[in-house]
Amino acid sequence: MSVANLCHRLQPQVSARTAAGFAEVLRRLGGPLQVAVAGRIKSGKSTLVNALIGRRVAPTDVGECTRLVTRFQYGTVDRVEIVFNDGRKQVLPFSADGMIPAELGIDIDQVSHIEAYLTNAVLQGMTVIDTPGLGSLDAASVSRTEELLGAAKHRKPDDDEEEEEGSDELDDTSRNAVAGAEAVLYVVTQGVRADDQQALAAFTAATASREAGPVNAIAVLNKADTIAPESVEGSGGDVWKAATLLSEKQASTLKPRVADVLPVIGLIAESAESGGFTSPDAEALRQLAEMDDDILETMLISADIFTSWECDVAAGTRLRLLEKLDLFGVRYAVEAIRKEPEITAGSLRRKLLDASGLEAVRQRLSIVFAARADGIKAAAALASVTALAHASGDPAERQRVHDAIEVLLAKPEAHQLRLLEALTLVASGAVDMPEDLSEEVLRVGSNADIGAQLGKPGAPRAELAAHALERAGWWRSFASFGATPAQSRVAHVVHRAYFLIWQQIRE
C-alpha cells in the first residue's frame, strides 16, 4: 500500500511519460502476483502450466502457440485474445478439445503475446505465464522469453527515429521497466546447463534490480520418472529417491538463484489434475493388473513393447495410457490396484496425483510466493519506479523519485521491503558476507514459517523466542563492530527481522 501511495503522490510531480509508467505500476500492484514458468525447450513447461491451473488449455505439442508468451489470468468469461505488436487485439476461439489452438493462422511475427482469461480459482491469486523454451532454434521465440524475463537489451531508437516531445506514451525502455514477471518457476530436467544458470541470472523482476533469488524463484526437476535410479548414488534403485537426491544436488548448483528445486512428474500431474485421467483409463489399468507378472514386466521394459505386445487390452488404449501416464505412471497405477483391488477410479486418480509431486510444488509456491506476494510485488514495483525515473533523462525527476523512495524505506512499515532488498543484495553477491552469515540471511529472508526462519523447525515457542532474541542481539553487535558499511546495512535489517520475530512469538 505504501508503494501505491508513493506512485500516487509522485504522479503529478513527474513527466507525462513517467506518470503513465507509474499508472501501469499501480495496475500491477492491484493485480495478482505474476509468475513466469520458464526453462529450456522440451522441459515440459506447458504440461506443468496445465497441471498448476488444473485444466489442459496450454498446447504441449510444438506449434505456433508454443513460440509465443501466453498469460493465463482470471476472467469471468473464458476467452483467448491475441495481442499484436501495435496493440490490436483479436479474439481467438478455443479448439475442439478446449485448448488454445497450436496453429493460429496468422503471422506470429506481428504478435506480442496471447492473453488467456479463465474462470479458474487458482488464477485469482496468481497469473501464470507460459514462455517459449530457452535454447530453441527459433531466435524470435527466445527473444520473447528473454524480454519477459527482463533479459532483453533495451532497444534504442534508430538514428532517424525521433520520440515525440511530451508524449504520454511509454517508450520501449519504460515499457520494459514495468513488463515481465515478478517471480519465476524455472523448469529443469536431469542436467542443469550453463544457459539455465544464465537465464536465472538474467531474470529481473520488472527488469530493474530484482534479480532471481530465494524470494522470487524456485525450480522444479520435471520428468522425474525418466531418471535412471542406478545413475544416482544412494537411491537404492528407487526412482523417486533418485529424483529427490538429484534435486538436492541441483539446488546446491542453482542456489542462491532459487529457493529450492523440487522433483515433479508433470505429465502425471497434468493427467490427474486436469481431468485427463478417466474411468475407462482406470478400467484398462485394472485389466493390466490382472495379467501375469512376468508378461507385464516384459511389456513395461519399453514403450514400443508395451504398445505392440499382443494382449486383451487394445493397443490404442495402451497408447492412450502412455500418453497420459508414461511407463512409470502405468506401473505405479497397476501396483496400487494390486494392493487395493477395489480402489475406485477417483481414488486411483488421487494416488497418481500424490505420486506426481505436484502438491509439494504447490505448497512451496504458496510458501515462497503467495505468503509474501505483496512484498514481492512491492519490491518489483519499486524497481520499476526507479527504472522509470532513470529512463526519463531528467536529473531533477530522478532525484525526486530517489528521495521519495529513501523516505519510504526509512519507515517502520517498510521493513519487509528492506528485508527483501537485503536478501537480494546477499543472494546476488552485491554484498559479500561470510558463508555462514549469508546462509542465515537467506534462511531468515526466504521463509514464511518462523521455525524455518530460525533454523529450528518444530522447536517449542520458548526456545524459538530465546533464539530470536539472542540472534537479534548478535546482529546488532555485528552491525556496530566489525562489519563493513555494506554488511552493516544488511545486519541492521536482519537484527530488526529477528526482533520482530521475537515480538511475534511473544504475542
Side-chain angles (χ1 to χ4, degrees):
M1 198 64 176
S2 55
V3 180
N5 291 337
L6 175 96
C7 290
H8 282 303
R9 193 171 66 253
L10 284 173
Q11 273 184 313
Q13 305 174 36
V14 296
S15 68
R17 176 174 293 164
T18 305
F22 286 177
E24 178 63 16
V25 171
L26 286 166
R27 186 189 67 79
R28 290 282 294 269
L29 278 169
L33 185 71
Q34 305 203 46
V35 180
V37 180
R40 293 182 57 80
I41 190 172
K42 296 186 183 299
S43 59
K45 298 182 305 302
S46 298
T47 299
L48 190 60
V49 166
N50 288 334
L52 288 170
I53 294 174
R55 175 172 166 181
R56 198 161 188 269
V57 65
T60 54
D61 295 330
V62 176
E64 289 177 341
C65 187
T66 57
R67 292 161 57 191
L68 295 167
V69 171
T70 304
R71 293 163 41 86
F72 295 92
Q73 55 192 307
Y74 181 78
T76 54
V77 177
D78 287 2
R79 71 182 191 280
V80 179
E81 291 181 353
I82 301 173
V83 182
F84 292 89
N85 295 325
D86 60 7
R88 288 182 298 116
K89 295 181 179 180
Q90 177 181 324
V91 177
L92 185 73
F94 287 98
S95 59
D97 56 6
M99 300 178 72
I100 298 173
E103 301 300 326
L104 304 177
I106 55 177
D107 181 3
I108 67 167
D109 290 335
Q110 304 299 317
V111 177
S112 166
H113 64 281
I114 294 175
E115 299 274 5
Y117 297 88
L118 303 173
T119 52
N120 182 288
V122 172
L123 297 177
Q124 287 183 300
M126 179 173 64
T127 293
V128 179
I129 308 173
D130 193 9
T131 67
L134 296 163
S136 167
L137 295 177
D138 180 356
S141 298
V142 176
S143 176
R144 293 184 186 101
T145 300
E146 289 178 336
E147 184 173 337
L148 175 85
L149 298 183
K153 302 290 185 184
H154 296 316
R155 184 185 69 82
K156 295 182 178 179
D158 297 330
D159 292 338
D160 59 350
E161 189 177 359
E162 295 182 3
E163 296 181 7
E164 186 178 340
E165 193 81 26
S167 170
D168 61 358
E169 290 295 316
L170 293 178
D171 58 12
D172 284 349
T173 304
S174 303
R175 188 177 296 108
N176 287 339
V178 292
E182 293 142 346
V184 63
L185 175 63
Y186 197 81
V187 184
V188 296
T189 47
Q190 293 186 39
V192 174
R193 306 187 192 184
D195 50 0
D196 289 317
Q197 299 201 53
Q198 289 165 6
L200 280 166
F203 171 76
T204 54
T207 69
S209 58
R210 295 292 148 190
E211 297 183 342
V215 166
N216 63 0
I218 66 172
V220 295
L221 168 61
N222 199 13
K223 306 183 180 182
D225 56 316
T226 63
I227 295 167
E230 61 272 13
S231 68
V232 181
E233 186 178 351
S235 68
D238 182 81
V239 171
W240 194 257
K241 177 66 173 175
T244 302
L245 290 171
L246 186 55
S247 294
E248 292 171 357
K249 182 179 179 181
Q250 291 183 338
S252 65
T253 301
L254 293 175
K255 284 182 178 178
R257 292 294 180 189
V258 299
D260 211 348
V261 179
L262 299 172
V264 68
I265 307 173
L267 179 63
I268 295 178
E270 180 195 53
S271 298
E273 187 70 344
S274 66
F277 183 76
T278 62
S279 293
D281 296 325
E283 187 55 39
L285 288 164
R286 203 178 302 278
Q287 287 181 264
L288 290 172
E290 295 170 356
M291 293 178 64
D292 180 81
D293 282 0
D294 292 339
I295 293 176
L296 188 58
E297 279 300 316
T298 301
M299 290 174 63
L300 291 173
I301 289 174
S302 72
D304 287 342
I305 296 175
F306 183 74
T307 53
S308 62
W309 194 274
E310 289 291 334
C311 71
D312 291 339
V313 181
T317 300
R318 282 175 277 154
L319 178 61
R320 189 178 72 239
L321 289 175
L322 274 187
E323 290 172 345
K324 294 181 179 183
L325 305 175
D326 215 337
L327 290 173
F328 177 87
V330 170
R331 180 187 295 276
Y332 181 90
V334 165
E335 289 175 356
I337 291 169
R338 286 178 169 177
K339 287 178 184 175
E340 191 180 341
E342 301 303 316
I343 190 170
T344 64
S347 295
L348 185 57
R349 182 195 68 80
R350 286 189 289 274
K351 282 186 176 292
L352 285 165
L353 186 60
D354 290 342
S356 73
L358 181 66
E359 187 54 36
V361 174
R362 279 187 167 148
Q363 288 178 359
R364 201 74 179 101
L365 279 170
S366 177
I367 292 171
V368 176
F369 294 161
R372 51 186 68 221
D374 288 344
I376 295 172
K377 288 195 295 180
L382 275 185
S384 292
V385 167
T386 302
L388 286 161
H390 183 77
S392 74
D394 181 346
E397 181 172 290
R398 189 180 307 142
Q399 188 62 47
R400 192 178 302 120
V401 173
H402 175 269
D403 292 345
I405 291 174
E406 287 298 307
V407 170
L408 169 64
L409 291 176
K411 294 180 179 179
E413 60 266 28
H415 170 71
Q416 187 181 19
L417 286 174
R418 291 201 301 276
L419 183 58
L420 292 178
E421 180 187 33
L423 183 63
T424 301
L425 290 171
V426 172
S428 65
V431 173
D432 186 29
M433 303 280 282
E435 186 176 349
D436 58 333
L437 297 185
S438 291
E439 289 178 357
E440 187 172 353
V441 175
L442 296 176
R443 188 183 69 237
V444 172
S446 59
N447 286 286
D449 176 76
I450 287 178
Q453 284 179 302
L454 298 177
K456 292 179 174 291
R461 292 176 65 84
E463 182 181 341
L464 293 175
H467 183 69
L469 195 59
E470 186 271 325
R471 293 312 294 162
W474 188 95
W475 279 93
R476 182 174 57 188
S477 298
F478 176 65
S480 304
F481 309 103
T484 66
Q487 290 174 340
S488 180
R489 183 179 179 183
V490 170
H492 279 300
V493 174
V494 179
H495 152 69
R496 178 155 181 78
Y498 274 122
F499 183 73
L500 291 174
I501 290 172
W502 174 74
Q503 281 190 323
Q504 188 177 344
I505 295 170
R506 291 189 66 199
E507 292 170 359

